[in-house]
Amino acid sequence: MNGTTEATGGHEGPERRVRVVLVDDHRMFRTGVQAEIGRTEETGVEVVGEAADVDQAVTVITATRPEVVLLDVHLPGGGGVEVLRRCAPLMGTAENPVRFLALSVSDAAEDVIGVIRGGARGYVTKTITGTDLVDSVFRVQDGDAVFSPRLAGFVLDAFASTDAPPVDEDLDRLTQREREVLRLIARGYAYKEIAKQLFISVKTVESHVSAVLRKLQLSNRHELTRWATARRLV
């Protein structure tokens, strides 16, 4: 994220406030966002909690009930999609719903569509300036849909086009983390290599692989590799 917050996107901080939770597995990035937009008297944004993985996120969001959650897509424990799934009841409340804005370095189609399907109100990349991020947070609080300019057209096309690929129900059964493990297994990575790349234990990798095999009704990693290759996931 670049730029500094010299303005509040048309909102005067002291007159209007929004309570925000930051969810990102990189502590330095969370610290940077906090410094960038969390000067409440200037921006109107009050950061009421932070989380680095799915379980922490669900706990903090449930406890603080913020108006807006800034949510990274790739998180330990299942990814942003899993946070959205587990927080669905909070999004659906008639009064004071919790709204989610994805804030990610990724602009991959699967990531964008995944979190929007999951209920996020928008998706912006980490190149966004502080000023624009503050404005985006307030717009999401108001119920608007917010996207980085380059992603907006893509999202509209993906949901409106009659040529859009059908939803893969088998793939949708997998969490974001399970999909990551699936791809790495299909590419020939050993469990130890996957654990190192995803910053998780070998035992956790084994658990994810077992879950993937069970959900897809496959018997071994060779069948899994063929399944992933057939869907061009490798």
Side-chain angles (χ1 to χ4, degrees):
M1 190 173 65
N2 54 39
T4 57
T5 308
E6 298 297 340
T8 60
H11 299 282
E12 294 182 350
E15 294 185 4
R16 186 176 180 198
R17 299 290 173 91
V18 57
R19 299 169 68 254
V20 171
V21 164
L22 305 178
V23 180
D24 193 288
D25 60 344
H26 292 94
R27 183 180 58 81
M28 290 184 65
F29 181 76
R30 296 198 310 273
T31 301
V33 173
Q34 166 81 24
E36 189 86 6
I37 72 171
R39 302 188 300 275
T40 309
E41 293 305 317
E42 298 176 35
T43 65
V45 176
E46 179 186 2
V47 177
V48 297
E50 299 182 15
D53 60 34
V54 169
D55 288 340
Q56 287 180 14
V58 174
T59 298
V60 171
I61 293 165
T62 301
T64 61
R65 298 294 293 266
E67 282 88 26
V68 177
V69 177
L70 288 176
L71 179 68
D72 193 12
V73 174
H74 299 290
L75 295 167
V81 171
E82 180 66 8
V83 175
L84 291 164
R85 185 187 71 80
R86 290 169 60 179
C87 290
L90 301 179
M91 289 189 278
T93 58
E95 294 185 6
N96 304 318
V98 177
R99 294 189 167 102
F100 288 79
L101 173 62
L103 175 63
S104 177
V105 69
S106 171
D107 59 2
E110 178 182 316
D111 290 336
V112 178
I113 299 304
V115 295
I116 299 305
R117 279 181 179 158
R121 295 295 304 173
Y123 195 114
V124 295
T125 60
K126 290 181 178 179
T127 56
I128 192 171
T129 65
T131 300
D132 288 341
L133 183 56
V134 170
D135 185 61
S136 297
V137 167
F138 276 106
R139 288 173 59 194
V140 167
Q141 182 192 27
D142 289 337
D144 293 344
V146 180
F147 296 95
S148 290
R150 199 174 74 78
L151 302 180
F154 160 72
V155 172
L156 290 172
D157 291 343
F159 280 93
S161 174
T162 55
D163 297 325
V167 174
D168 189 326
E169 293 183 359
D170 289 332
L171 190 60
D172 276 358
R173 292 192 185 101
L174 306 182
T175 67
Q176 184 65 38
R177 180 62 86 190
E178 289 168 352
R179 295 184 195 191
E180 292 170 351
V181 171
L182 164 66
R183 284 192 183 86
L184 292 174
I185 285 288
R187 290 171 183 168
Y189 284 76
Y191 286 3
K192 186 179 294 185
E193 294 171 321
I194 296 172
K196 184 176 180 180
Q197 183 159 335
L198 298 181
F199 302 100
I200 57 180
S201 69
V202 173
K203 185 175 181 180
T204 300
V205 174
E206 293 173 349
S207 297
H208 285 314
V209 173
S210 296
V212 170
L213 293 174
R214 184 182 69 255
K215 290 179 180 181
L216 299 181
Q217 298 183 344
L218 301 174
S219 300
N220 53 55
R221 65 180 296 165
H222 300 294
E223 290 185 3
L224 187 153
T225 299
R226 288 197 297 270
W227 187 92
T229 301
R231 287 163 173 75
R232 299 180 181 179
L233 299 176
V234 181

